[in-house]
Amino acid sequence: MTDDVAGCHAVLHLDRLAANLAMARSILGAGVRILGVVKANAYGHGALAVSRTLERAGIDGLAVDSPDEGLDLRREGIASPILVMNPLCPGDASPMIAAGLTATVSDVEAAEALQSAARRAGRPAGVHVRVRSDGAGLGVDRGDVAVLLRRVRGFANLRLDGLFTHMIGPYRDDPVQIGREVAGFRTLIDRLPADVPKPPLVHAVTSPGLFNAPDARFDMVRLGAVLYGIRMVEAGGAPFPFRPVMDLVSRVAHLCRLDPGDDIGYSPGARQRNEGRSEGSNGGRSAGRAAMIPVGYADLPFLLRFRDSAVLIRGRRAPLIGEAFMGKVLADVTDIPEAALGDEAVFVGTQGIETITVEDIGKANGIRPSAILMLGPRVARRSVGQVGGEE
């Protein structure tokens, strides 16, 4: 897609992605590996472009949720270690082994299925064991960890590469829960029986924990949001030295007059009110002016129920009004009289001195900021700031 096309397109700043990885390394220091989380199409950024850039920038490995995500990357030539974080389904064992993907197991049955598939394939299969953290969740119960580790080590065709958990406390920015989860996981590791040595890679920290759980970094961390410049928690106002990697941009495709009472959505409550406008010459409310932007909830799902959101036009905030349609939304440009057809409309990014971030949108709409950039299939992605020969 070119800049002259009105529909929404995403601009992916690959140089910022590489810089964010370098910043994370500087925070972590030597000896801690980084697993780049590229699940869900790299949080909407495009898994292949992101994985290629991270690989060229020296990432230690990648993480996905499903075997299909990992298989797609292997078909495109991604050679880095890839951990599939969701627990193994036995039927996925053979294709994962063939592609050299690392499996997550949380029970003996999954380990047995992986062992059988690895024996048939005549090659070893890498394994990380996932431990259940505070409360309900995925993973083996703490009391059963030693038994499962012992069984995995006993299988001739399995290679025990790692042990990990997924903490909830860092996402809540709750020091008490963080402390409880870290202490519980560390105690589990320290009390492993002598015949069950600690696996080479122990990991618990994800992006929020980079700031509020420094005691849980262990051998490796799993970073997604911070690599994309997305701040998940305030963490006591700690500095956030990561830059957003993606901008979302469209153009004004139509300008129209809006009178009080005009319908600007399907629901009965979606009517133009022009509240607070100056009185017109006839003593009634004055008319407003709206810009139609060809971006709807099919492209940016958060628009389906947006609240207090805006776009940037001519370097100023234009509030979104009414309801988003499937392929379009209206912005109030009454206070931007110079707005014209073809003007750039920025949903996420900077224009002039104004900036709209995914954190702004998430806070206004009650959505996790990492979900804002989960884009519809019509949104084209364009990469800039190539890194290491990126095409």
Side-chain angles (χ1 to χ4, degrees), residues 43-130:
Y43 294 32
H45 291 68
L48 181 57
V50 165
S51 297
R52 283 176 172 165
T53 300
L54 291 177
E55 193 168 64
R56 288 167 177 166
I59 196 77
D60 297 297
L62 302 169
V64 296
D65 264 349
S66 70
D68 286 345
E69 292 175 320
L71 293 171
D72 287 344
L73 293 176
R74 284 284 189 254
R75 293 186 192 104
E76 296 294 339
I78 299 300
S80 297
I82 299 175
L83 172 65
V84 179
M85 293 184 292
N86 280 346
L88 176 76
C89 291
D92 294 328
S94 292
M96 286 180 61
I97 292 169
L101 303 179
T102 301
T104 292
V105 299
S106 298
D107 54 64
V108 172
E109 291 77 14
E112 289 173 341
L114 195 65
Q115 159 63 18
S116 297
R119 185 178 61 247
R120 292 193 300 270
R123 58 185 298 182
V127 174
H128 284 222
V129 169
R130 180 168 182 164

Side-chain angles (χ1 to χ4, degrees), residues 242-279:
F242 301 94
R243 297 183 66 193
V245 170
M246 183 185 285
D247 300 330
L248 291 177
V249 182
S250 186
R251 292 195 177 274
V252 174
H254 180 68
L255 290 161
C256 63
R257 171 189 171 103
L258 283 179
D259 290 312
D262 281 350
D263 287 316
I264 48 177
Y266 289 133
S267 72
R271 291 192 172 93
Q272 175 68 4
R273 293 181 175 84
N274 283 342
E275 293 173 350
R277 300 291 180 201
S278 61
E279 298 291 327

Side-chain angles (χ1 to χ4, degrees), residues 332-373:
D332 187 344
V333 292
T334 307
D335 294 331
I336 312 175
E338 65 273 29
L341 290 179
D343 279 353
E344 184 181 73
V346 175
F347 284 82
V348 175
T350 297
Q351 192 182 68
I353 63 172
E354 289 280 357
T355 298
I356 294 176
T357 67
V358 293
E359 291 84 1
D360 296 332
I361 296 170
K363 185 176 182 179
N365 293 277
I367 302 172
R368 290 175 64 179
S370 58
I372 303 299
L373 299 175

Side-chain angles (χ1 to χ4, degrees), residues 27-50:
I27 292 172
L28 290 166
V32 180
R33 300 189 191 186
I34 297 177
L35 205 61
V37 182
V38 295
K39 64 182 180 180
N41 202 24
Y43 294 32
H45 291 68
L48 181 57
V50 165

Side-chain angles (χ1 to χ4, degrees), residues 195-272:
D195 65 325
V196 185
K198 179 175 74 71
L201 295 174
V202 173
H203 47 112
V205 160
T206 55
S207 287
L210 189 63
F211 303 98
N212 57 24
D215 294 338
R217 290 171 180 172
F218 297 103
D219 307 298
M220 186 165 68
V221 298
R222 306 185 303 275
L223 300 183
V226 298
L227 295 183
Y228 307 121
I230 299 172
R231 184 166 193 156
M232 297 295 292
V233 296
E234 290 298 323
F240 188 76
F242 301 94
R243 297 183 66 193
V245 170
M246 183 185 285
D247 300 330
L248 291 177
V249 182
S250 186
R251 292 195 177 274
V252 174
H254 180 68
L255 290 161
C256 63
R257 171 189 171 103
L258 283 179
D259 290 312
D262 281 350
D263 287 316
I264 48 177
Y266 289 133
S267 72
R271 291 192 172 93
Q272 175 68 4

Side-chain angles (χ1 to χ4, degrees), residues 129-133 139-147 149 162-165 180-194 196-199 202 218:
V129 169
R130 180 168 182 164
V131 181
R132 191 170 114 176
S133 187
V140 59
D141 288 339
R142 292 175 184 173
D144 298 326
V145 170
V147 173
L149 290 175
L163 177 72
F164 75 99
T165 193
R180 185 170 62 240
E181 288 181 299
V182 173
F185 191 52
R186 190 177 293 280
T187 298
L188 180 151
I189 295 166
D190 291 343
R191 293 181 178 176
L192 286 174
V196 185
K198 179 175 74 71
V202 173
F218 297 103

